[in-house]
Amino acid sequence: SQKNYFLMSIAAASVLLHSCASDASSQPSRQSSQEEWKVSTVQHGKASWYSVKTNSGTQTASGERLSNDAATAAHKTLPMGTRVRVTNMTNGKSEIVRITDRGPYTKGRIIDVTVGCAERLGFYSRGVVPVKVEVLDTKP
């Protein structure tokens, strides 16, 4: 009957919502709130992504192993370990990443993020997007 279908739908939605909430709370947040950081400088330019495959291995300039899913990035001049907030200007999504590598070496690009970060920022399929890069000071 329609009543049974409705009750089963409610039960399924409840289980799904509980499952999603449990998953979200069990994973550490990749995005710190804007109030927690002081922005020291802002850069605008283009971002691209790179991966273990496109980097010809797993070694980064900092000596850390490159992980495709990590919240890390390559920048030409910022000190290793610097945290930056990368905002995709086409959709407003942002993520805080740590500089662990050098690059990008393509003219006009200011930062390379990992392929996983590009997916989370919504530009994996586009490859290159305009971004805002905010250099973050330590928490006040």
Side-chain angles (χ1 to χ4, degrees):
S1 78
Q2 249 186 346
K3 183 177 179 183
N4 285 343
Y5 177 76
F6 176 76
L7 291 174
M8 286 176 26
S9 297
I10 295 289
S14 175
V15 168
L16 182 61
L17 284 172
H18 177 72
S19 170
C20 290
S22 297
D23 288 347
S25 64
S26 67
Q27 294 179 352
S29 172
R30 293 186 183 273
Q31 177 67 47
S32 297
S33 70
Q34 293 185 7
E35 296 79 42
E36 294 182 29
W37 298 94
K38 180 183 172 206
V39 176
S40 63
T41 59
V42 178
Q43 301 173 353
H44 293 272
K46 292 181 181 171
S48 50
W49 59 263
Y50 74 130
S51 66
V52 170
K53 186 176 180 181
T54 62
N55 194 42
S56 303
T58 60
Q59 194 70 18
T60 65
S62 68
E64 292 183 35
R65 290 177 62 84
L66 178 63
S67 168
N68 286 340
D69 197 46
T72 60
H75 191 277
K76 289 180 191 119
T77 59
L78 289 173
M80 296 295 169
T82 301
R83 293 194 188 278
V84 299
R85 182 183 300 113
V86 180
T87 303
N88 178 343
M89 300 306 288
T90 63
N91 64 16
K93 291 182 179 181
S94 67
E95 182 167 344
I96 293 175
V97 300
R98 192 169 43 87
I99 303 301
T100 60
D101 210 353
R102 290 292 171 227
Y105 298 109
T106 302
K107 186 175 177 164
R109 298 185 192 170
I110 62 169
I111 197 164
D112 271 341
V113 298
T114 61
V115 64
C117 184
E119 288 171 346
R120 294 186 294 274
L121 291 174
F123 77 91
Y124 170 75
S125 60
R126 287 186 68 176
V128 179
V129 291
V131 292
K132 175 172 67 172
V133 175
E134 298 168 283
V135 179
L136 305 174
D137 284 343
T138 55
K139 295 179 184 179

